[in-house]
Amino acid sequence: MQGENLGQQHCIVAQANETSLWFITDNENRTTEKIKSLGYQITDDSVLTYRIRTDAQPRPLTSHWPPETVGDILAWQSTLDSRCRRKIHKRIKEGERKKAGGVLIVIESPLMTYGFVVLYDRQCPDPKSKLMGGRDSSYGLKVMPVSVVRIDDRYLAQRNIPNSKTLARKNIAVIGCGTIGGYLSDMLVKAGAGTCGGKLTLVDFDCLLPQNIGRHRLGFPDLLSNKAKAMAKELKRLAPGAEIRALPVDVRQAQLGELDLLIDATGEEALGHWLCGRYPSPTPMLSVWIEGPGTAVRGLLRMNASSACYRCLWHSNGRKELRSTVDPLPSILEGHGCEGLYVPFPASVSVHAASLGAEMALDWVNSVSSPTLRTRLIDSSQQLATPDCDPLRDWECPLCSS
C-alpha cells in the first residue's frame, strides 16, 4: 500500500505449493509483478477487503484469547477503541449485505498492522434472519486471524533508515553501469530509487565482456549483453515495483529529460568534464571514481554554481591541491597477450566507491550536502592529503568561470 486511502481495498489471492498469500494493494499492476517474481499464481481477486486505522495499541484480553468469533473480536476492540469497534462491525455487516463469501479486515495501529478474515455461513437455515436470540447473527461467525507483513516499496526502503528520507519520487540518472555503476545502482534501488513515482535511468552503450566479470555486479549469464539493459533487468528482478529505464547509448546522444540528480559513475576523466559542461548548475551532479589501482575512492557533489565541479578538481590537482594522497598515486598496469592494458583492483574497491556514492546520494536527498568532496583511503600504507571539505569553483575552470 503506497497510498493513505482507507475503506475498501483491492485484494489478490495467490498460491504456490498449496500455500496461499493474500495481497492487499492500491496498485494491481505493481503487485501482480511482485507476485510473479515470487512464483505464485493468482487464484482470486474478488475478496472484499477493508482497511481501518486506530490510534490504540493492541494488547490481548486476559479473559478469553485468542478471539474465535466476530463477537470475540468486537468485545476485544471495545476495550481498545470503541470507534474502531464500530467501524469493524459496520464493514462486516456491509460484506454480508453484498453477499460476499468473506471479508478481510486489516487494522493499522501505531504499533503494528494486524487483521482477520470472516467467512460468512451461507449454509445457515435462515440466512435472512438478522437476529439470533436477540443478538446480531454476525456475532457468531468464525474468524481467522492473519499475520500482516508489508511489502510496499516505501516500507522496504524506509525500514533501515526510519528517520531519514529515501530516494523515492526522485528522477535519478546513473551514467556508466560498469564496476562502480553496477553496484551503485543496486544500492540506489534499495534506498528507494525508482519507486513511488520516481524513475532511475541507467546509461551505458558498452557490453559486459569476460574481463569485466571479476569486479562487476553482473555475472556470466549476462555475458555480451549491454550493461545498462542487463543491469535494469537484474534490478527489476530484485525490485519488481521500481521503474527503471535503460538507455544503451552513448550519453552524448542520450535524452535524459529533467533530473533531480545526475550521477557520473564512469570514472572517465574526459567524459566527466563533458558532463559538467552539458549539465550545468542547477542540476545537482555527483561524481564517484577510483583513484590509482584502488588506492582511494572519492566522491564530489556539485550542488550550485559556487561549488567546485569535477573539472575544477582536475585543475586543483594540477596545482597539487585537493589531492587524495600525500605521495603520488602509484601507476600499475596489467594485461597480457591480445588483452589491452588495464588498471587492476579487486571488486571490493568498486563496492567501496559505490557505497560512498550511495551515502552521498542519501545525504543529498536529506539536504546534507557538506562535505561535498569526500575521500576514503583503501591503501593503508598511504596518507590522506585532503580531509573531507567543501571546495569552491576553481578560477582556472573554463566551465565555472565563463
Side-chain angles (χ1 to χ4, degrees):
M1 301 296 301
Q2 299 284 109
E4 298 296 330
N5 293 333
L6 301 176
Q8 187 170 344
Q9 306 292 333
H10 189 73
C11 181
I12 304 172
V13 181
Q15 189 173 34
N17 300 324
E18 299 183 355
T19 300
S20 291
L21 293 178
W22 296 24
F23 295 85
I24 306 157
T25 182
D26 56 3
N27 187 312
E28 189 173 352
N29 292 333
R30 181 185 68 229
T31 303
T32 299
E33 289 299 314
K34 293 184 178 182
I35 292 172
K36 289 179 181 178
S37 73
L38 291 171
Y40 276 65
Q41 297 294 322
I42 296 175
T43 58
D44 189 7
D45 61 356
S46 61
V47 176
L48 204 56
T49 305
Y50 295 102
R51 187 179 175 198
I52 297 171
R53 185 168 295 149
T54 178
D55 294 329
Q57 295 189 3
R59 60 183 183 275
L61 287 174
T62 56
S63 57
H64 182 69
W65 195 259
E68 298 176 352
T69 65
V70 168
D72 294 339
I73 289 284
L74 297 178
W76 171 43
Q77 288 295 313
S78 294
T79 66
L80 301 174
D81 182 350
S82 58
R83 288 185 60 196
C84 181
R85 182 248 185 235
R86 290 193 293 271
K87 291 177 184 177
I88 292 172
H89 194 199
K90 176 183 176 182
R91 296 307 187 185
I92 292 173
K93 298 299 291 181
E94 186 174 322
E96 197 172 34
R97 287 196 306 274
K98 291 182 177 181
K99 300 188 181 302
V103 62
L104 171 61
I105 305 289
V106 177
I107 305 166
E108 296 185 1
S109 76
L111 184 64
M112 62 183 294
T113 300
Y114 57 101
F116 59 93
V117 175
V118 178
L119 297 177
Y120 297 106
D121 185 7
R122 297 305 179 189
Q123 304 302 317
C124 180
D126 186 11
K128 296 182 179 180
S129 174
K130 298 298 180 183
L131 297 174
M132 294 179 63
R135 195 181 189 204
D136 192 319
S137 60
S138 65
Y139 279 40
L141 295 173
K142 297 293 184 181
V143 297
M144 179 176 66
V146 294
S147 174
V148 181
V149 179
R150 289 180 61 178
I151 62 165
D152 56 283
D153 298 320
R154 181 173 56 187
Y155 165 76
L156 297 178
Q158 194 85 57
R159 184 179 183 275
N160 295 316
I161 47 174
N163 298 316
S164 302
K165 293 180 181 178
T166 70
L167 298 175
R169 294 180 288 276
K170 299 299 180 183
N171 192 4
I172 300 172
V174 175
I175 313 302
C177 297
T179 186
I180 299 175
Y183 291 107
L184 176 56
S185 58
D186 189 356
M187 294 180 187
L188 295 177
V189 169
K190 285 181 169 58
T195 65
C196 302
K199 180 165 60 177
L200 177 64
T201 301
L202 306 179
V203 185
D204 200 315
F205 68 90
D206 203 5
C207 291
L208 186 73
L209 299 176
Q211 57 264 39
N212 303 140
I213 290 178
R215 60 186 188 194
H216 202 281
R217 170 62 180 76
L218 297 172
F220 204 85
D222 295 304
L223 191 64
L224 305 181
S225 299
N226 173 264
K227 291 178 182 177
K229 284 187 173 181
M231 201 66 228
K233 179 182 176 183
E234 172 67 0
L235 294 177
K236 284 291 289 182
R237 182 182 72 86
L238 299 174
E243 183 179 351
I244 301 168
R245 177 178 64 152
L247 292 181
V249 299
D250 189 316
V251 68
R252 296 174 181 87
Q253 281 78 52
Q255 299 296 322
L256 299 181
E258 187 174 343
L259 296 174
D260 294 306
L261 179 65
L262 174 67
I263 301 178
D264 175 18
T266 64
E268 296 180 17
E269 193 171 88
L271 183 58
H273 294 178
W274 183 88
L275 287 169
C276 289
R278 175 64 179 83
Y279 296 94
S281 179
T283 302
M285 178 175 167
L286 173 62
S287 303
V288 187
W289 68 97
I290 295 169
E291 299 233 310
T295 306
V297 298
R298 306 192 89 179
L300 177 68
L301 178 64
R302 185 203 63 197
M303 283 294 297
N304 50 53
S306 64
S307 301
C309 74
Y310 183 73
R311 182 156 183 174
C312 288
L313 193 63
W314 181 80
H315 287 286
S316 297
N317 288 170
R319 299 191 302 268
K320 298 184 178 181
E321 300 170 357
L322 299 177
R323 290 192 168 187
S324 57
T325 57
V326 173
D327 295 330
L329 291 168
S331 179
I332 301 176
L333 295 175
E334 293 289 344
H336 55 83
C338 60
E339 183 181 39
L341 294 176
Y342 68 96
V343 180
F345 53 82
S348 58
V349 176
S350 307
V351 174
H352 277 291
S355 298
L356 177 60
E359 170 193 310
M360 295 182 73
L362 279 171
D363 279 352
W364 161 77
V365 80
N366 284 279
S367 303
V368 181
S369 57
S370 179
T372 55
L373 175 62
R374 306 184 193 185
T375 308
R376 301 291 182 265
L377 273 181
I378 307 300
D379 186 349
S380 58
S381 68
Q382 295 282 348
Q383 184 179 351
L384 182 68
T386 305
D388 293 352
C389 59
D390 299 301
L392 298 176
R393 65 184 185 184
D394 192 277
W395 59 272
E396 282 190 277
C397 177
L399 302 177
C400 296
S401 301
S402 62

